[in-house]
Amino acid sequence: MSNGVKQSTILVVDDSETNIEMVLAILDNYDVIPATCGKDALDIAANEHIDLILLDILMPEMSGFEVCKKLKENEKTKFIPVIFLTAQKDEDSIEAAYLIGGVDYVTKPFKPVELLARVKVHLKLQNLIQRLQFLATRDSLTGIYNRRKFFELAEQMFATYDENLYAIMLDIDFFKRVNDNYGHDAGDIVLQKTTEIISGLLPLTSVFGRLGGEEFGVILTAPSYEKVIHLLDKIVSTYANTDIKIGPKQKVRCTISCGMSPKYKYTSSIDELLKEADAALYEAKKTGRNKRIV
Ligand code: GH3
Ligand code: MG
Ligand code: MG
Ligand code: MG
């Protein structure tokens, strides 16, 4: 497409090359990836960015039902909408298709305009769902996880990892002064830049959220306690030494305090782990700020 809008990618799965050719001709405005068997389809869905799947039912090695079931069992592919496109017209097949997670059912021979219209509807719905999911889970000012999503992911991380899980709480020092001296908009910029600076230092797999005002939480896994200490020192010193531009000619520097707790010491619950990190943060504030306490 020449208008700069990202084209949707549709995976078309059918054992018949002729059928695929026909669908390709109808979907000529989209990026279409063909697959002639279930195994290839699952591989592609797991490794490429796919927005929608058109799935045949009758295929020699793996039926469309089995493919759909496997797609729904995989975290990476479970949210891709699946439209069945099949010669099967019996009610049992239709019922089964929806039961295992299909969003629509089109029978062959189909009317091209109808297939195209259904594809458009489901791509639009998918887009809306993704936007809603983003809005529901992100902090609107900084784009990092909001409080609710942070605690949800923290809980999952706690259930998944043992010894090497760590919780960190961070709070900007004397942030109120930024608002008082430079205005609330400048304060907002500082909050945004703060998350950028910290994100840039965290391992990619960390869960990073804004818990409220100028307070942030991190849950991460690390190979050792020492590595986490090193990371905290890096965050504290980098933050204190970074100019934050709040206007054409104005810049400020802030400091941050943080507290950390390791799961191997506080294994009863995620709440206890976070409470311990919070207590350490409180200690950092009480003993001078611009530091980490573990
Ligand atoms: P301390 O070192 O003890 O943490 O002091 P502090 O000034 O950082 O902490 P305090 O809790 O006294 O003040 C936090 C301020 O953060 C007060 C509040 O107005 C401001 N704040 C909270 N949310 C936002 C926001 O979204 N934008 C802006 N600009 N300010 C915010
Ligand atoms: Mg077939
Ligand atoms: Mg503060
Ligand atoms: Mg605070």
Side-chain angles (χ1 to χ4, degrees):
M1 238 185 265
S2 56
N3 58 6
V5 176
K6 199 199 143 287
Q7 233 172 334
S8 298
T9 306
I10 302 173
L11 174 62
V12 178
V13 192
D14 201 306
D15 58 315
S16 145
E17 304 261 3
T18 322
N19 284 348
I20 288 189
E21 290 302 321
M22 221 153 60
V23 175
L24 274 171
I26 295 164
L27 301 180
D28 63 346
N29 265 326
Y30 296 96
D31 233 344
V32 178
I33 303 181
T36 51
C37 69
K39 195 187 159 295
D40 287 356
L42 290 172
D43 277 352
I44 295 165
N47 295 304
E48 312 269 330
H49 176 89
I50 301 293
D51 297 293
L52 180 81
I53 299 176
L54 290 181
L55 184 55
D56 185 23
I57 293 177
L58 290 182
M59 293 186 288
E61 265 130 52
M62 198 190 291
S63 79
F65 290 148
E66 285 172 79
V67 175
C68 187
K69 194 164 165 283
K70 288 207 157 68
L71 287 167
K72 298 300 158 190
E73 283 165 1
N74 182 341
E75 282 301 316
K76 276 179 82 180
T77 57
K78 68 197 258 191
F79 294 115
I80 307 173
V82 174
I83 300 178
F84 284 97
L85 184 56
T86 173
Q88 301 289 99
K89 291 188 169 67
D90 60 292
E91 288 190 22
D92 285 349
S93 295
I94 296 172
E95 191 179 21
Y98 284 107
L99 272 177
I100 54 177
V103 293
D104 210 345
Y105 197 95
V106 180
T107 51
K108 300 177 204 167
F110 52 84
K111 297 185 182 73
V113 284
E114 188 182 352
L115 179 66
L116 198 56
R118 286 175 186 245
V119 162
K120 276 186 190 161
V121 165
H122 287 291
L123 284 172
K124 197 167 157 188
L125 279 174
Q126 182 66 357
N127 191 272
L128 281 172
I129 291 167
Q130 277 168 358
R131 272 166 58 194
L132 280 175
Q133 258 166 2
F134 186 85
L135 291 174
T137 55
R138 300 288 167 154
D139 169 52
S140 59
L141 180 67
T142 62
I144 65 173
Y145 290 123
N146 62 18
R147 190 182 168 84
R148 189 192 326 124
K149 190 68 182 177
F150 174 80
F151 283 110
E152 185 189 317
L153 293 173
E155 192 109 48
Q156 281 175 20
M157 294 274 280
F158 192 86
T160 312
Y161 299 97
D162 276 327
E163 299 292 273
N164 56 350
L165 191 80
Y166 301 84
I168 302 166
M169 290 285 194
L170 308 107
D171 186 296
I172 305 173
D173 298 328
F174 302 121
F175 179 67
K176 198 172 167 301
R177 291 181 189 169
V178 176
N179 281 337
D180 291 347
N181 296 337
Y182 305 97
H184 197 269
D185 288 350
D188 282 356
I189 295 172
V190 169
L191 288 168
Q192 288 166 334
K193 289 285 160 66
T194 299
T195 60
E196 282 172 27
I197 295 164
I198 298 170
S199 290
L201 298 170
L202 292 174
L204 283 175
T205 50
S206 316
V207 170
F208 182 29
R210 184 176 174 205
L211 306 183
E214 23 71 89
E215 196 179 321
F216 307 93
V218 177
I219 304 285
L220 52 75
T221 55
S224 72
Y225 187 80
E226 287 68 34
K227 286 256 195 276
V228 186
I229 305 277
H230 183 74
L231 173 69
L232 293 178
D233 287 338
K234 180 117 187 147
I235 289 173
V236 169
S237 64
T238 305
Y239 189 69
N241 291 308
T242 304
D243 285 331
I244 297 178
K245 199 167 176 271
I246 53 169
K249 286 190 182 123
Q250 264 183 325
K251 56 191 185 205
V252 291
R253 274 192 189 187
C254 299
T255 59
I256 200 160
S257 299
C258 41
M260 182 270 270
S261 59
K263 187 182 175 187
Y264 64 78
K265 275 198 199 162
Y266 310 101
T267 47
S268 80
S269 69
I270 182 67
D271 289 346
E272 190 188 1
L273 189 70
L274 290 167
K275 225 171 83 189
E276 286 303 323
D278 209 36
L281 168 61
Y282 181 77
E283 202 54 34
K285 290 281 182 187
K286 226 175 56 179
T287 56
R289 297 178 171 80
N290 190 23
K291 60 159 77 167
R292 48 89 181 157
I293 296 276
V294 297

